[in-house]
């Protein structure tokens, strides 16, 4: 979280508060179960977006951070469904107004790794997600898959890391 906050903080320094509305700048986090906050074997969701909001706000960046996490989705599925009204990146970005998102944080590709994809295909899907946000006028921050407890427990997971 510290590294995400540091990168977002550096990007967010250029965010402007809307003068008249008083509404905070907005950051939208989009991705798979890591963004949703799935924490097996725990019940419930523990997304990183509230923590990111708290860290940025504590550092003088008044920001509202929201997320859309899609457990089990591959980056390719996210890209193919970018216009889906309930799950798509483009559709989600278009719904956020007053003000529009100042930044999209994208963390995807985790589920793809289990299928041992061609890295070129995975990179193309990830790039497509970022391009989708850029076409909507929203800059992006790419987040890599963080280390996990499971990597210490599974040699297969560690080999993929």
């Amino acid at each position: 979280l510290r590294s995400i906050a540091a990168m977002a903080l550096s990007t967010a320094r250029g965010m402007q508060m809307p003068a008249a509305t008083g509404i905070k700048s907005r950051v939208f986090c989009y991705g798979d179960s890591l963004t949703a906050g799935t924490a097996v074997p725990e019940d419930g969701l523990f997304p990183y977006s509230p923590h990111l909001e708290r860290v940025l706000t504590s550092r003088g960046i008044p920001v509202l951070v929201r997320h859309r996490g899609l457990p089990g989705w591959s980056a390719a599925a996210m890209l193919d469904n970018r216009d889906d009204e309930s799950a798509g990146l483009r559709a989600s970005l278009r719904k956020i107004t007053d003000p529009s998102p100042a930044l999209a944080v994208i963390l995807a590709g985790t589920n793809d790794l289990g299928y041992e994809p061609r890295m070129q295909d995975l990179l193309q899907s990830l790039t497509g997600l970022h391009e989708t946000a850029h076409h909507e006028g929203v800059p992006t921050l790419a987040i890599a898959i963080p280390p996990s407890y499971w990597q210490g427990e599974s040699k297969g997971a560690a080999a993929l890391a």
Side-chain angles (χ1 to χ4, degrees), residues 4 27-38 45 47-49 65-79 81-82 86-90 92-93 103-112 122 125-126 129-130 133 140-146:
I4 294 171
V27 171
F28 182 62
C29 302
Y30 186 80
D32 53 32
S33 59
L34 296 176
T35 300
T38 304
L45 298 175
Y48 67 84
S49 58
V65 181
R66 294 296 178 259
H67 71 277
R68 181 68 172 111
L70 305 165
W73 284 51
S74 67
M78 289 178 201
L79 183 61
N81 291 282
R82 63 184 161 250
S86 65
L89 177 59
R90 184 183 350 252
S92 296
L93 291 172
L103 179 67
V105 177
I106 299 175
L107 194 170
T110 311
N111 296 309
D112 303 73
L122 177 53
S125 295
L126 294 170
L129 289 169
H130 287 270
T140 58
L141 177 63
I143 301 297
I145 301 166

Side-chain angles (χ1 to χ4, degrees), residues 34-87:
L34 296 176
T35 300
T38 304
V40 176
E42 301 292 323
D43 289 332
L45 298 175
F46 305 93
Y48 67 84
S49 58
H51 305 287
L52 180 59
E53 180 178 307
R54 187 177 61 250
V55 168
L56 290 172
T57 300
S58 74
R59 300 217 178 152
I61 307 286
V63 64
L64 182 64
V65 181
R66 294 296 178 259
H67 71 277
R68 181 68 172 111
L70 305 165
W73 284 51
S74 67
M78 289 178 201
L79 183 61
D80 290 344
N81 291 282
R82 63 184 161 250
D83 292 312
D84 180 89
E85 286 300 314
S86 65

Side-chain angles (χ1 to χ4, degrees), residues 139-158:
T140 58
L141 177 63
I143 301 297
I145 301 166
S148 73
Y149 170 80
W150 184 241
Q151 290 170 350
E153 296 295 312
S154 165
K155 289 181 182 178

